[in-house]
Amino acid sequence: MANVLIAGCGYVGTAFGAGLASEGHVVWGLRRRPDALLPGIRPLAADLTVPRTLQALPRGLDFVFYTASADASDDDSYRAAYVDGLRNLLHALGHQRQDLRRVFFTSSTGVYAQSTGTWVDETSPTEPAEFSGFRVLEGERLLLGSSFPSTVLRLGGIYGPGRTRLIERVRRGLATCPDGPPLYTNRIHRDDCAGALRHLMTLAEPASLYLGVDHEPAEQCEVLRWLARQLGVSPPRLEPPLGSTPRHQSNKRCSNAKLVASGYAFRYPGFRDGYLALLAEGVA
Ligand SMILES: NC(=O)c1ccc[n+]([C@@H]2O[C@H](COP(=O)([O-])OP(=O)(O)OC[C@H]3O[C@@H](n4cnc5c(N)ncnc54)[C@H](OP(=O)(O)O)[C@@H]3O)[C@@H](O)[C@H]2O)c1
């Protein structure tokens, strides 16, 4: 059994940590407001951006998972969550001479700026066009350049119980399809985020980088139309293409081949599997 710290223990971290705890691992969940953690996860109140709050980390840790996310969609918040917080934690772990087996970091497919629907994998260029991708990439490099064995998992858009905004928009007739070339999106169900992290933790020598997305990069309008059919509502309206100075529009198909080749079997291989389960469970 391992001693595990989940730093930034939120939506994914809590599901992941609860699973580990149920297997008998000792799991600490670090966040500023740890009261929302599930039973089995030991709460650790700390602010990753305030180094003095990280002085009393549990000793004898085996694994650390960094799953914090930004408070707001601006550069300062992204830098705080993905760079400063990570740097502070790595510094505290080093100062405490923690003999870690590995540190994992949940990054994002937002590090890719590809915009023509091309396939991308772990070897593809990362030239983020937005501050968000840039800061997450900075965090990746910080971790991979540290003295700890480390692995980055670049996640696609996460959905699952309680994260059903797309379903709600379709149900309420608010979803629209841009009238233009196909726009690919990449997803992963929360339980596969947790499952993939659990799987990587079991590998003796995981690689330093994996993409964490399901098997099916899906055209956005296809997802919306399929959801509309499941919900028995009108299909999404077509909207005119974006104006002449659009925000950068990411459009790429992310491959999970490396994660699958490492032995991970997805519980929800495509969006239909995941959304059908949510609809059947009545959580959406
Ligand atoms: N959501 C997506 O679609 C998506 C896509 C790609 C990648 N990811 C990445 O996947 C990971 C998991 O995402 P998620 O949706 O589970 O995130 P989440 O629910 O927002 O959880 C992140 C947790 O981090 C904690 N946190 C933030 N700042 C902190 C700080 N300064 N000190 C301590 N704790 C802090 C927050 O708790 P407190 O507020 O209590 O501190 C929050 O519960 C994140 O790294 C995210 O960037 C997410």
Side-chain angles (χ1 to χ4, degrees):
M1 288 299 131
N3 292 327
V4 179
L5 173 68
I6 303 173
C9 192
Y11 183 64
V12 168
T14 301
F16 172 55
L20 286 182
S22 72
E23 292 175 33
H25 297 286
V26 181
V27 182
W28 286 270
L30 183 158
R31 58 189 289 178
R32 291 162 299 190
R33 294 171 292 264
D35 39 304
L37 292 173
L38 293 177
I41 303 179
R42 301 176 185 207
L44 201 56
D47 186 335
L48 292 158
T49 65
V50 181
R52 66 178 159 72
T53 68
L54 303 173
Q55 285 170 2
L57 297 176
R59 300 300 163 128
L61 291 171
D62 299 299
F63 295 101
V64 171
F65 293 83
Y66 193 91
T67 58
S69 68
D71 287 335
S73 189
D74 58 58
D75 188 44
D76 284 350
S77 302
Y78 268 72
R79 193 181 56 232
Y82 297 103
V83 184
D84 299 342
L86 180 59
R87 183 186 291 115
N88 292 337
L89 183 65
L90 293 174
H91 185 266
L93 292 165
H95 186 70
Q96 295 167 15
R97 301 192 188 289
Q98 297 264 7
D99 186 18
L100 299 174
R101 285 159 67 182
R102 191 160 293 267
V103 181
F104 294 86
F105 173 60
T106 48
S107 175
S108 165
T109 55
V111 298
Y112 299 107
Q114 282 80 342
S115 60
T116 57
T118 184
W119 279 93
V120 300
D121 65 14
E122 291 79 357
T123 65
S124 302
T126 48
E127 293 156 353
E130 305 274 349
F131 67 84
S132 47
F134 178 78
R135 292 299 178 191
V136 175
L137 193 59
E138 200 177 340
E140 286 189 5
R141 288 174 178 162
L142 183 67
L143 176 63
L144 296 175
S146 77
S147 57
F148 295 109
S150 49
T151 291
V152 167
L153 180 63
R154 290 180 180 156
L155 296 171
I158 300 169
Y159 71 102
R163 289 266 176 104
T164 53
R165 204 170 63 92
L166 205 60
I167 296 178
E168 280 318 306
R169 288 185 61 76
V170 173
R171 199 196 300 273
R172 295 167 61 198
L174 300 174
T176 55
C177 278
D179 190 7
L183 198 60
Y184 287 97
T185 53
N186 301 274
R187 288 180 180 69
I188 182 166
H189 190 286
R190 178 201 64 184
D191 294 349
D192 280 314
C193 297
L197 291 171
R198 178 73 190 92
H199 161 73
L200 293 175
M201 183 179 151
T202 63
L203 298 182
E205 286 293 336
S208 59
L209 178 61
Y210 295 92
L211 271 170
V213 292
D214 69 20
H215 289 264
E216 192 183 356
E219 200 197 324
Q220 178 72 351
C221 286
E222 186 192 343
V223 179
L224 297 176
R225 290 190 189 113
W226 180 86
L227 278 172
R229 285 198 297 279
Q230 303 308 311
L231 294 165
V233 300
S234 304
R237 279 177 293 111
L238 277 184
E239 69 175 9
L242 294 170
S244 55
T245 55
R247 203 166 157 255
H248 176 80
Q249 182 67 69
S250 166
N251 181 20
K252 74 249 175 183
R253 284 178 276 181
C254 297
S255 165
N256 66 10
K258 186 172 173 182
L259 182 62
V260 170
S262 78
Y264 183 63
F266 274 77
R267 182 167 173 195
Y268 301 107
F271 71 89
R272 294 176 191 80
D273 308 295
Y275 282 127
L276 278 178
L278 291 174
L279 293 170
E281 288 160 15
V283 294

